[in-house]
Each structure stands twice: as C-alpha cells, then as structure tokens.
Amino acid sequence: MKQNHFAILLSVFCYLNGFTQQSTEVYLAELKKENDSLRIDSIINISNNEGYDNQPSFFDNDKILFSSTRNKQTDIVLYTIKDGTSKWITNTPSGSEYSPLKIPEKDAISTIRLDDDGLQRLYEYDLKTGKSSVLLNDLKVGYHVWYSNDIIVSTVLIENRMDLVVSNLKDKTNYTVQKNVGRSLHKIPNSNLISYISKAGDSTIVNSINPLSLEIKAIIPLIDTSEDVCWTKKGNLITAYDKFIISFNPSRDKEWNPLFEFKEKEVLGITRLAISPNGNYLTFVSKDSPDKIIEKQVETFNARDLEAFAACFSEDVVVKNFLKDTLYIGRKKLKENYEAFYKKTPSIEVKVASRILIGSTVIDQEVVTIDGKQNQQVAVYETDGLIKSMSFIRDSETTTDPEVIVQRQLDAYNARDINAFINLYAKDVKIYRLSGELRTDGIDKMRNSYTDYFESTIDLNCVVKNRIVIGNKVIDEEYITANGNSYSAVGIYEVENGKIAKVTFIN
C-alpha cells in the first residue's frame, strides 16, 4: 500500500496522504468551432473515482492518460474516448505515479514516480513489457514536457520552489534556465517553443522558451491564482478561472477574453487543461462539487469513520455558531472534539431534510437523532474542494412566527411597496455577507438604498425556491429577476420582537 510521508512534496502534488488529498475528477469535452470562437460541448466525467484523479494528457487523438488513486495507491489510467473504457497501465506497490505523458515516437509513457522511501524521479514505462527505467538521474522532477526525442523541459523541485530545467538525454546534460516557476508546461503549436509559468517577482506570467537557444519571451500575465494553461491547435492560449474558460491570441489580443462558462454544478475550480492533437477534445480537472463533499461528510459522520470524516475538511477549517461565534479552528481540533463526542454518544444519526446549494456554499437542514431523541439544526458549509467553514444554526423557541414576517416582506418587495417593506424591519437592522462583513447598518440607509432600487427596477420579482424555518430564522433560496437579469441568492432572516433584525445574504 502506498503512503506519502514527505510534506515538502505538497508544493508539487498539493495533497497530504490518501485520506487528506483533495478529491478531484477528470472531465472530457468536445471542442467545436463556432464562427471565430470555440464552443465546449458534451461534457462527461471520465474518471468517476472516489478521491484524487488528476494531471490528464492526450496519448493520441483517442486516448487520455491521467493519474488516479485506488486503495490509497496512485497509478496511471489510459482512457479510450471511442468506447469510453479505462484501464490501469501501472501498478507499482512501492511507489506512486503522476503527470503521465506519451514519449515521442515510442509506445511508452514518461511519468514522475514517488517511491515510498521519498525518492522522486522521472521514469519511462514501456507499455508492451511494463518495464520501467529512470530517465533523469538526480533530478526531483515535478512536471515535464517533451520537446523532442532527446530534450525534456521540466520543473525541478529545489528546496521550497520549482526551477525550470532543460535536459538533453543524449548528452546527459541538465541546464537550469530560471528559478521559481509554475507547473504548466506545453509545446506551443506551429513553433519551436515551449510555454511555462514564470513566478519571478510579484507577478505570474506565461513565458515562452526556445530549449535550444534558451531565448525567453513574455506572453501575458495570468489572472489571479490561475496557473494552468494549454494551447489550441491554431495557437490560442486558454486558461481557467473558477467556472470560466478564457483565451488569448498572442498575434492579435492585448488581454484575456471570455470564451466559455460551465453551467454544470459539478464543474467547479477548473485546473489542468489539455487539448487533443487534432484540436477536437478538451480534458480538464475539476474539484468535487460542493454537495458531493457535504454528502461524503454526512455519510462518514454517520459511519463514525473519524479519519474519513475529518478528511472532508481543510487543514484550517473554521467551526462556529452562525454567524460569527467561532468555536474552534483547524482539522486537528475538529478530530479531537468529534473523537470525544463519539465516545460519549453511543447512538447518533444525521439525515438531510433539505439542501440549498449556491455557488460553493451548501446549506443543509438536518434532523439529528441522538440516543433516540430528535433535534433539528441547520449547517452552513463553505467549500473550496474541502470544507473550509462549518456554521451551525440551532433550533430555539420563539413567540413569533418568523415565516409570516418574512413572507410579508417578500410580498412587499415584489410589489415594490417601500413603506410596507421597510416597516417589517427593525430600526437598527443589520445586513451582512456570509463572511460576517456588515453591508448596511440601520433602517435609514436601508430605506435610501431600496427606494432607488424599487423605483428603477420595474421588472423586479423574487420567487422562493426553497424555504427552511428554524427557531427565529427563515432561510430562503431566492430566484431574483431585476433589470432583465436573473440570478440566485440566499437570504437568512432573523426575526426579533416581530421585526426582521438581521439578514445575511449569500450570492
């Protein structure tokens, strides 16, 4: 069984071990030309595997290589597009394989192998015989690309950074070109160049390099934290930002341009892009959808599987009572608290009565049965591949029916009746974001803001798709139309003394 015991490799592979690595999936989509742009269509999950699936590349126009974890062991899968089948092509009990690529003019692949003793090297695997051999001695390769049969451009792990190295297998030479680079390496179509990600200085820039002359040129800075790119057959550079694909043509563009937005809820936080040699397919990696992460968390909690349960949470997870009452921080503390909870609680089960999903936030209405006694609570989860915060809303007694008050304000909102709307709010009402940031303080500011909004938005309409009532709180999943646009939002309304005293908006 393979285990990863070396924390320094976090900067390369971004996971801790079999339980704590972030769950990801590999997707395949068709690329179709539409006028002067590309359209992405027919998106399917080709890994469909619990845990880590990542680093896809095209073996040819009909086959895709990627790394995938099975039984805490990471091996290489070969997926065939034509018939939709997958097969494992490596099985190395003493090590794990990552970042597979086809070797030019060979029926073989190159892949980084991380052995259980910590040795990390670039290997060649013969697909006919299954035999393997080291390609680059004494280099801890993170990512690589083949420039020719004899020349490899790679990122090499040095201390806490990666450096760009050009290696000549024939001459057995390694030349460090630049310190501090990113993971994305690609051949630029119709050229003798390789693109790489420069992290020198304060900016992250896509550069090109000629591996023979070592000439370097800047192409374009990347946006935000993105560092995964690839090239279309006709020389357009594309990258991903959250659920968006954006493109840049070096010959005509001055900035990134929007190309495509994924509407599928399971596609979130796109990384690792690759395009088939014929330009007909795109493969990419996405984090698990938020509801899938939460579902796993509920299942492992009910199974009392503490390790698997804790693995659903980020290392620095924040656990709190809604909205800003922090109980504790960190996965380690979470494990300690739930271990103690399990010991003193012989019987417990959580059932999800209803669920609201908005962006990366999941709101669950939960029925909790402890030793035969049922309680209701709401859990608000913020996710980013793992759960980064968990907030609890407990049931409580109230003398006022909060749903009646909230429904009246909704009716007034749709009627654009500012006086009826405002009269349902307390004088010191506070409007928050989920982060706890205060947006509006006091009824006067709220009146001024909504008066202008009601007067200028003649098509204003809000429909409640889902409503959860707990204690003095009403949680509405809302579909809002305003000025010709429609969007989803969640409002968490807190009613005190017959008035709405606090609202937290999530959108």
Side-chain angles (χ1 to χ4, degrees):
M1 187 178 294
K2 302 178 183 178
Q3 304 265 344
N4 181 358
H5 304 292
F6 297 88
I8 194 170
L9 299 176
L10 285 173
S11 62
V12 180
F13 296 118
C14 301
Y15 65 86
L16 296 174
N17 56 45
F19 280 118
T20 57
Q21 62 179 260
Q22 194 173 88
S23 292
T24 48
E25 297 284 1
V26 178
Y27 288 82
L28 174 69
E30 292 183 19
L31 287 180
K32 296 181 178 179
K33 188 174 181 181
E34 193 172 74
N35 299 323
D36 292 330
S37 63
L38 289 175
R39 181 164 58 91
I40 298 173
D41 203 1
S42 304
I43 302 164
I44 60 170
N45 184 332
I46 64 172
S47 52
N48 281 312
N49 177 55
E50 181 73 23
Y52 180 84
D53 303 279
N54 216 317
Q55 302 157 338
S57 67
F58 281 88
F59 184 85
D60 56 28
N61 288 319
D62 186 50
K63 296 182 178 64
I64 299 170
L65 299 160
F66 61 90
S67 297
S68 185
T69 299
R70 51 175 173 171
N71 301 319
K72 302 179 186 178
Q73 173 177 312
T74 303
D75 294 310
I76 305 302
V77 172
L78 183 68
Y79 175 85
T80 301
I81 298 172
K82 186 178 180 180
D83 55 20
T85 59
S86 300
K87 69 174 182 178
W88 299 93
I89 60 174
T90 66
N91 183 14
T92 313
S94 61
S96 291
E97 291 88 17
Y98 302 90
S99 300
L101 292 176
K102 183 184 186 305
I103 298 177
E105 300 181 14
K106 284 188 176 183
D107 191 18
I109 65 168
S110 54
T111 181
I112 288 93
R113 191 166 93 193
L114 174 61
D115 292 328
D116 288 350
D117 62 5
L119 189 66
Q120 181 177 319
R121 294 290 181 266
L122 182 65
Y123 274 76
E124 173 178 340
Y125 285 78
D126 188 304
L127 295 184
K128 291 182 179 178
T129 65
K131 293 182 178 179
S132 62
S133 58
V134 177
L135 284 167
L136 296 173
N137 285 308
D138 304 322
L139 292 182
K140 188 174 283 190
V141 176
Y143 302 89
H144 70 293
V145 65
W146 288 88
Y147 177 72
S148 66
N149 296 5
D150 299 319
I151 297 176
I152 301 173
V153 180
S154 62
T155 62
V156 176
L157 190 64
I158 304 292
E159 298 175 344
N160 61 346
R161 67 173 194 271
M162 288 192 295
D163 293 348
L164 189 70
V165 175
V166 177
S167 300
N168 190 311
L169 299 180
K170 189 175 181 180
D171 299 340
K172 297 183 180 179
T173 58
N174 302 303
Y175 185 81
T176 300
V177 180
Q178 181 180 320
K179 295 180 179 180
N180 199 11
V181 298
R183 62 184 176 228
S184 192
L185 299 167
H186 294 276
K187 292 192 73 172
I188 301 178
N190 309 312
S191 77
N192 57 354
L193 305 174
I194 297 289
S195 69
Y196 72 97
I197 309 301
S198 171
K199 292 187 173 182
D202 297 330
S203 56
T204 303
I205 300 173
V206 183
N207 282 354
S208 68
I209 181 173
N210 183 318
L212 300 180
S213 68
L214 303 182
E215 180 184 11
I216 294 173
K217 291 183 179 180
I219 299 175
I220 187 173
L222 282 167
I223 294 176
D224 199 36
T225 57
S226 173
E227 65 169 276
D228 293 286
V229 303
C230 69
W231 295 85
T232 69
K233 186 179 179 181
K234 292 192 174 182
N236 289 307
L237 182 66
I238 67 172
T239 188
Y241 178 71
D242 193 27
K243 293 173 74 76
F244 297 88
I245 298 290
I246 56 179
S247 68
F248 174 78
N249 187 308
S251 64
R252 67 168 185 262
D253 295 336
K254 293 184 179 180
E255 59 185 19
W256 292 99
N257 297 300
L259 180 64
F260 188 79
E261 178 184 2
F262 290 93
K263 302 295 186 180
E264 294 79 5
K265 70 174 185 177
E266 63 269 21
V267 176
L268 183 73
I270 303 165
T271 59
R272 314 300 175 89
L273 307 159
I275 291 177
S276 60
N278 60 9
N280 291 341
Y281 295 101
L282 168 72
T283 181
F284 61 91
V285 173
S286 172
K287 301 172 187 175
D288 269 352
S289 61
D291 56 339
K292 186 175 180 180
I293 298 163
I294 304 309
E295 193 62 38
K296 181 179 179 182
Q297 177 260 164
V298 173
E299 289 175 359
T300 54
F301 174 83
N302 286 335
R304 305 173 77 95
D305 187 340
L306 184 59
E307 291 294 335
F309 171 72
C312 298
F313 296 84
S314 66
E315 193 72 37
D316 55 355
V317 60
V318 178
V319 180
K320 53 189 175 180
N321 288 321
F322 183 84
L323 172 65
K324 296 186 288 184
D325 179 17
T326 299
L327 300 173
Y328 56 87
I329 297 174
R331 186 194 294 138
K332 181 180 178 182
K333 189 66 176 177
L334 179 141
K335 286 180 68 176
E336 292 174 356
N337 287 345
Y338 276 90
E339 183 176 23
F341 176 76
Y342 280 142
K343 286 181 179 178
K344 67 180 183 181
T345 311
S347 173
I348 182 166
E349 183 183 35
V350 169
K351 289 185 178 180
V352 178
S354 66
R355 171 170 291 165
I356 297 171
L357 171 62
I358 180 163
S360 58
T361 301
V362 178
I363 302 171
D364 273 1
Q365 180 182 18
E366 300 174 344
V367 178
V368 183
T369 304
I370 300 177
D371 298 335
K373 184 178 180 180
Q374 284 190 348
N375 296 288
Q376 183 185 197
Q377 68 179 23
V378 169
V380 182
Y381 304 95
E382 292 181 88
T383 70
D384 183 18
L386 297 171
I387 301 168
K388 65 179 184 180
S389 79
M390 177 170 62
S391 304
F392 293 107
I393 301 175
R394 314 290 184 182
D395 199 4
S396 60
E397 292 186 3
T398 178
T399 57
T400 304
D401 186 347
E403 185 175 8
V404 172
I405 306 299
V406 172
Q407 183 60 45
R408 286 176 183 169
Q409 72 86 37
L410 175 64
D411 294 340
Y413 178 93
N414 283 333
R416 296 185 290 137
D417 185 338
I418 188 63
N419 291 323
F421 179 73
I422 289 296
N423 284 341
L424 292 161
Y425 287 85
K427 289 183 178 179
D428 59 350
V429 61
K430 292 178 172 54
I431 312 296
Y432 294 95
R433 299 184 191 276
L434 185 58
S435 63
E437 176 190 350
L438 182 62
R439 291 176 54 185
T440 304
D441 189 357
I443 197 71
D444 291 336
K445 289 183 179 180
M446 188 174 178
R447 176 183 285 275
N448 291 337
S449 174
Y450 276 93
T451 297
D452 293 340
Y453 185 54
F454 284 177
E455 289 176 354
S456 62
T457 314
I458 61 174
D459 63 342
L460 185 63
N461 183 257
C462 176
V463 176
V464 175
K465 297 170 63 178
N466 191 0
R467 172 171 284 173
I468 299 169
V469 181
I470 180 167
N472 70 326
K473 298 177 180 65
V474 177
I475 304 168
D476 277 355
E477 180 184 9
E478 303 169 343
Y479 188 72
I480 301 167
T481 299
N483 296 316
N485 298 312
S486 297
Y487 60 93
S488 294
V490 169
I492 302 177
Y493 302 88
E494 301 182 47
V495 176
E496 297 175 3
N497 301 316
K499 299 283 187 177
I500 300 171
K502 298 176 187 176
V503 185
T504 302
F505 283 119
I506 308 169
N507 51 28

